[in-house]
PDB file of all heavy atoms in Angstrom:
ATOM      1  N   ILE A  97      12.821   0.675 -13.583  1.00 87.00           N
ATOM      2  CA  ILE A  97      13.910   0.714 -14.564  1.00 87.00           C
ATOM      3  C   ILE A  97      13.925  -0.531 -15.436  1.00 87.00           C
ATOM      4  O   ILE A  97      14.077  -0.459 -16.664  1.00 87.00           O
ATOM      5  CB  ILE A  97      15.269   0.896 -13.855  1.00 87.00           C
ATOM      6  CG1 ILE A  97      15.339   2.279 -13.193  1.00 87.00           C
ATOM      7  CG2 ILE A  97      16.421   0.732 -14.843  1.00 87.00           C
ATOM      8  CD1 ILE A  97      16.601   2.502 -12.381  1.00 87.00           C
ATOM      9  N   SER A  98      13.760  -1.707 -14.827  1.00 86.00           N
ATOM     10  CA  SER A  98      13.880  -2.957 -15.593  1.00 86.00           C
ATOM     11  C   SER A  98      12.671  -3.213 -16.487  1.00 86.00           C
ATOM     12  O   SER A  98      12.814  -3.743 -17.588  1.00 86.00           O
ATOM     13  CB  SER A  98      14.071  -4.135 -14.635  1.00 86.00           C
ATOM     14  OG  SER A  98      12.947  -4.286 -13.789  1.00 86.00           O
ATOM     15  N   THR A  99      11.483  -2.843 -16.045  1.00 92.00           N
ATOM     16  CA  THR A  99      10.261  -3.143 -16.801  1.00 92.00           C
ATOM     17  C   THR A  99       9.898  -2.053 -17.803  1.00 92.00           C
ATOM     18  O   THR A  99       9.119  -2.290 -18.722  1.00 92.00           O
ATOM     19  CB  THR A  99       9.071  -3.321 -15.846  1.00 92.00           C
ATOM     20  OG1 THR A  99       8.853  -2.096 -15.119  1.00 92.00           O
ATOM     21  CG2 THR A  99       9.337  -4.451 -14.856  1.00 92.00           C
ATOM     22  N   LYS A 100      10.460  -0.836 -17.586  1.00 94.00           N
ATOM     23  CA  LYS A 100      10.124   0.340 -18.399  1.00 94.00           C
ATOM     24  C   LYS A 100       8.643   0.699 -18.295  1.00 94.00           C
ATOM     25  O   LYS A 100       8.092   1.408 -19.134  1.00 94.00           O
ATOM     26  CB  LYS A 100      10.515   0.126 -19.864  1.00 94.00           C
ATOM     27  CG  LYS A 100      12.017  -0.083 -20.075  1.00 94.00           C
ATOM     28  CD  LYS A 100      12.813   1.125 -19.581  1.00 94.00           C
ATOM     29  CE  LYS A 100      14.291   1.002 -19.898  1.00 94.00           C
ATOM     30  NZ  LYS A 100      14.955  -0.047 -19.091  1.00 94.00           N
ATOM     31  N   LEU A 101       8.003   0.178 -17.258  1.00 96.00           N
ATOM     32  CA  LEU A 101       6.619   0.540 -16.919  1.00 96.00           C
ATOM     33  C   LEU A 101       6.581   0.903 -15.440  1.00 96.00           C
ATOM     34  O   LEU A 101       7.369   0.378 -14.645  1.00 96.00           O
ATOM     35  CB  LEU A 101       5.656  -0.627 -17.163  1.00 96.00           C
ATOM     36  CG  LEU A 101       5.458  -1.125 -18.583  1.00 96.00           C
ATOM     37  CD1 LEU A 101       4.614  -2.401 -18.565  1.00 96.00           C
ATOM     38  CD2 LEU A 101       4.774  -0.059 -19.436  1.00 96.00           C
ATOM     39  N   TYR A 102       5.672   1.798 -15.063  1.00 97.00           N
ATOM     40  CA  TYR A 102       5.457   2.040 -13.640  1.00 97.00           C
ATOM     41  C   TYR A 102       4.737   0.830 -13.069  1.00 97.00           C
ATOM     42  O   TYR A 102       3.635   0.477 -13.518  1.00 97.00           O
ATOM     43  CB  TYR A 102       4.636   3.307 -13.433  1.00 97.00           C
ATOM     44  CG  TYR A 102       5.397   4.569 -13.766  1.00 97.00           C
ATOM     45  CD1 TYR A 102       5.156   5.265 -14.946  1.00 97.00           C
ATOM     46  CD2 TYR A 102       6.381   5.056 -12.904  1.00 97.00           C
ATOM     47  CE1 TYR A 102       5.859   6.409 -15.252  1.00 97.00           C
ATOM     48  CE2 TYR A 102       7.097   6.207 -13.206  1.00 97.00           C
ATOM     49  CZ  TYR A 102       6.828   6.879 -14.383  1.00 97.00           C
ATOM     50  OH  TYR A 102       7.538   8.010 -14.686  1.00 97.00           O
ATOM     51  N   ASN A 103       5.357   0.165 -12.129  1.00 95.00           N
ATOM     52  CA  ASN A 103       4.781  -1.051 -11.562  1.00 95.00           C
ATOM     53  C   ASN A 103       3.710  -0.767 -10.524  1.00 95.00           C
ATOM     54  O   ASN A 103       2.948  -1.659 -10.162  1.00 95.00           O
ATOM     55  CB  ASN A 103       5.890  -1.890 -10.917  1.00 95.00           C
ATOM     56  CG  ASN A 103       6.945  -2.292 -11.931  1.00 95.00           C
ATOM     57  OD1 ASN A 103       6.631  -2.823 -12.993  1.00 95.00           O
ATOM     58  ND2 ASN A 103       8.197  -2.021 -11.622  1.00 95.00           N
ATOM     59  N   ASN A 104       3.652   0.474 -10.039  1.00 96.00           N
ATOM     60  CA  ASN A 104       2.701   0.852  -8.992  1.00 96.00           C
ATOM     61  C   ASN A 104       1.962   2.127  -9.369  1.00 96.00           C
ATOM     62  O   ASN A 104       2.446   2.933 -10.168  1.00 96.00           O
ATOM     63  CB  ASN A 104       3.442   1.111  -7.674  1.00 96.00           C
ATOM     64  CG  ASN A 104       4.246  -0.072  -7.210  1.00 96.00           C
ATOM     65  OD1 ASN A 104       3.693  -1.086  -6.817  1.00 96.00           O
ATOM     66  ND2 ASN A 104       5.566   0.046  -7.250  1.00 96.00           N
ATOM     67  N   ASN A 105       0.799   2.294  -8.761  1.00 98.00           N
ATOM     68  CA  ASN A 105       0.149   3.596  -8.765  1.00 98.00           C
ATOM     69  C   ASN A 105       0.878   4.482  -7.765  1.00 98.00           C
ATOM     70  O   ASN A 105       1.307   4.015  -6.700  1.00 98.00           O
ATOM     71  CB  ASN A 105      -1.314   3.461  -8.354  1.00 98.00           C
ATOM     72  CG  ASN A 105      -2.104   2.546  -9.278  1.00 98.00           C
ATOM     73  OD1 ASN A 105      -2.440   2.911 -10.390  1.00 98.00           O
ATOM     74  ND2 ASN A 105      -2.373   1.332  -8.811  1.00 98.00           N
ATOM     75  N   ILE A 106       1.029   5.761  -8.097  1.00 97.00           N
ATOM     76  CA  ILE A 106       1.670   6.715  -7.195  1.00 97.00           C
ATOM     77  C   ILE A 106       0.654   7.785  -6.843  1.00 97.00           C
ATOM     78  O   ILE A 106       0.090   8.429  -7.744  1.00 97.00           O
ATOM     79  CB  ILE A 106       2.915   7.351  -7.836  1.00 97.00           C
ATOM     80  CG1 ILE A 106       3.892   6.276  -8.300  1.00 97.00           C
ATOM     81  CG2 ILE A 106       3.584   8.305  -6.863  1.00 97.00           C
ATOM     82  CD1 ILE A 106       5.088   6.824  -9.080  1.00 97.00           C
ATOM     83  N   GLN A 107       0.406   7.974  -5.548  1.00 97.00           N
ATOM     84  CA  GLN A 107      -0.646   8.889  -5.098  1.00 97.00           C
ATOM     85  C   GLN A 107      -0.111   9.820  -4.017  1.00 97.00           C
ATOM     86  O   GLN A 107       0.649   9.411  -3.137  1.00 97.00           O
ATOM     87  CB  GLN A 107      -1.835   8.096  -4.553  1.00 97.00           C
ATOM     88  CG  GLN A 107      -3.032   8.950  -4.155  1.00 97.00           C
ATOM     89  CD  GLN A 107      -4.217   8.100  -3.721  1.00 97.00           C
ATOM     90  OE1 GLN A 107      -4.068   6.935  -3.360  1.00 97.00           O
ATOM     91  NE2 GLN A 107      -5.399   8.685  -3.763  1.00 97.00           N
ATOM     92  N   ALA A 108      -0.529  11.082  -4.078  1.00 97.00           N
ATOM     93  CA  ALA A 108      -0.148  12.058  -3.062  1.00 97.00           C
ATOM     94  C   ALA A 108      -0.976  11.836  -1.799  1.00 97.00           C
ATOM     95  O   ALA A 108      -2.198  11.731  -1.856  1.00 97.00           O
ATOM     96  CB  ALA A 108      -0.365  13.470  -3.593  1.00 97.00           C
ATOM     97  N   LEU A 109      -0.311  11.758  -0.656  1.00 96.00           N
ATOM     98  CA  LEU A 109      -0.996  11.605   0.626  1.00 96.00           C
ATOM     99  C   LEU A 109      -1.484  12.943   1.168  1.00 96.00           C
ATOM    100  O   LEU A 109      -2.353  12.984   2.051  1.00 96.00           O
ATOM    101  CB  LEU A 109      -0.061  10.961   1.653  1.00 96.00           C
ATOM    102  CG  LEU A 109       0.237   9.480   1.442  1.00 96.00           C
ATOM    103  CD1 LEU A 109       1.385   9.042   2.344  1.00 96.00           C
ATOM    104  CD2 LEU A 109      -0.994   8.634   1.707  1.00 96.00           C
ATOM    105  N   CYS A 110      -0.902  14.026   0.687  1.00 94.00           N
ATOM    106  CA  CYS A 110      -1.274  15.382   1.088  1.00 94.00           C
ATOM    107  C   CYS A 110      -0.800  16.288  -0.048  1.00 94.00           C
ATOM    108  O   CYS A 110      -0.265  15.802  -1.045  1.00 94.00           O
ATOM    109  CB  CYS A 110      -0.608  15.747   2.421  1.00 94.00           C
ATOM    110  SG  CYS A 110       1.184  15.537   2.402  1.00 94.00           S
ATOM    111  N   ASN A 111      -1.021  17.582   0.072  1.00 93.00           N
ATOM    112  CA  ASN A 111      -0.488  18.486  -0.943  1.00 93.00           C
ATOM    113  C   ASN A 111       1.025  18.320  -1.001  1.00 93.00           C
ATOM    114  O   ASN A 111       1.713  18.454   0.011  1.00 93.00           O
ATOM    115  CB  ASN A 111      -0.860  19.929  -0.620  1.00 93.00           C
ATOM    116  CG  ASN A 111      -2.357  20.177  -0.718  1.00 93.00           C
ATOM    117  OD1 ASN A 111      -3.068  19.437  -1.394  1.00 93.00           O
ATOM    118  ND2 ASN A 111      -2.832  21.196  -0.048  1.00 93.00           N
ATOM    119  N   THR A 112       1.531  18.016  -2.186  1.00 92.00           N
ATOM    120  CA  THR A 112       2.917  17.563  -2.319  1.00 92.00           C
ATOM    121  C   THR A 112       3.616  18.272  -3.469  1.00 92.00           C
ATOM    122  O   THR A 112       3.026  18.469  -4.537  1.00 92.00           O
ATOM    123  CB  THR A 112       2.946  16.034  -2.559  1.00 92.00           C
ATOM    124  OG1 THR A 112       2.341  15.381  -1.440  1.00 92.00           O
ATOM    125  CG2 THR A 112       4.359  15.521  -2.730  1.00 92.00           C
ATOM    126  N   LEU A 113       4.864  18.659  -3.228  1.00 90.00           N
ATOM    127  CA  LEU A 113       5.712  19.220  -4.272  1.00 90.00           C
ATOM    128  C   LEU A 113       6.791  18.209  -4.615  1.00 90.00           C
ATOM    129  O   LEU A 113       7.442  17.659  -3.718  1.00 90.00           O
ATOM    130  CB  LEU A 113       6.369  20.520  -3.803  1.00 90.00           C
ATOM    131  CG  LEU A 113       5.479  21.762  -3.697  1.00 90.00           C
ATOM    132  CD1 LEU A 113       6.279  22.916  -3.097  1.00 90.00           C
ATOM    133  CD2 LEU A 113       4.926  22.163  -5.052  1.00 90.00           C
ATOM    134  N   VAL A 114       6.992  17.946  -5.900  1.00 90.00           N
ATOM    135  CA  VAL A 114       8.013  16.997  -6.320  1.00 90.00           C
ATOM    136  C   VAL A 114       8.877  17.600  -7.421  1.00 90.00           C
ATOM    137  O   VAL A 114       8.452  18.505  -8.148  1.00 90.00           O
ATOM    138  CB  VAL A 114       7.396  15.672  -6.837  1.00 90.00           C
ATOM    139  CG1 VAL A 114       6.537  15.011  -5.783  1.00 90.00           C
ATOM    140  CG2 VAL A 114       6.606  15.904  -8.122  1.00 90.00           C
ATOM    141  N   CYS A 115      10.105  17.114  -7.501  1.00 86.00           N
ATOM    142  CA  CYS A 115      10.936  17.346  -8.672  1.00 86.00           C
ATOM    143  C   CYS A 115      10.840  16.092  -9.548  1.00 86.00           C
ATOM    144  O   CYS A 115      10.762  14.981  -9.032  1.00 86.00           O
ATOM    145  CB  CYS A 115      12.383  17.595  -8.270  1.00 86.00           C
ATOM    146  SG  CYS A 115      12.623  19.083  -7.280  1.00 86.00           S
ATOM    147  N   GLN A 116      10.829  16.282 -10.852  1.00 86.00           N
ATOM    148  CA  GLN A 116      10.716  15.159 -11.779  1.00 86.00           C
ATOM    149  C   GLN A 116      12.038  14.999 -12.520  1.00 86.00           C
ATOM    150  O   GLN A 116      12.536  15.937 -13.134  1.00 86.00           O
ATOM    151  CB  GLN A 116       9.562  15.398 -12.757  1.00 86.00           C
ATOM    152  CG  GLN A 116       8.219  15.533 -12.055  1.00 86.00           C
ATOM    153  CD  GLN A 116       7.069  15.735 -13.034  1.00 86.00           C
ATOM    154  OE1 GLN A 116       7.248  15.682 -14.251  1.00 86.00           O
ATOM    155  NE2 GLN A 116       5.886  15.967 -12.503  1.00 86.00           N
ATOM    156  N   LEU A 117      12.582  13.799 -12.438  1.00 83.00           N
ATOM    157  CA  LEU A 117      13.900  13.509 -12.981  1.00 83.00           C
ATOM    158  C   LEU A 117      13.751  12.630 -14.220  1.00 83.00           C
ATOM    159  O   LEU A 117      13.315  11.482 -14.133  1.00 83.00           O
ATOM    160  CB  LEU A 117      14.734  12.798 -11.913  1.00 83.00           C
ATOM    161  CG  LEU A 117      16.163  12.414 -12.243  1.00 83.00           C
ATOM    162  CD1 LEU A 117      16.998  13.664 -12.530  1.00 83.00           C
ATOM    163  CD2 LEU A 117      16.778  11.647 -11.081  1.00 83.00           C
TER     164      LEU A 117
END
Side-chain angles (χ1 to χ4, degrees):
I97 294 175
S98 62
T99 61
K100 298 300 185 290
L101 295 172
Y102 290 104
N103 300 309
N104 303 291
N105 301 285
I106 305 174
Q107 184 176 20
L109 288 168
C110 54
N111 294 338
T112 299
L113 287 175
V114 302
C115 296
Q116 299 181 5
L117 181 63

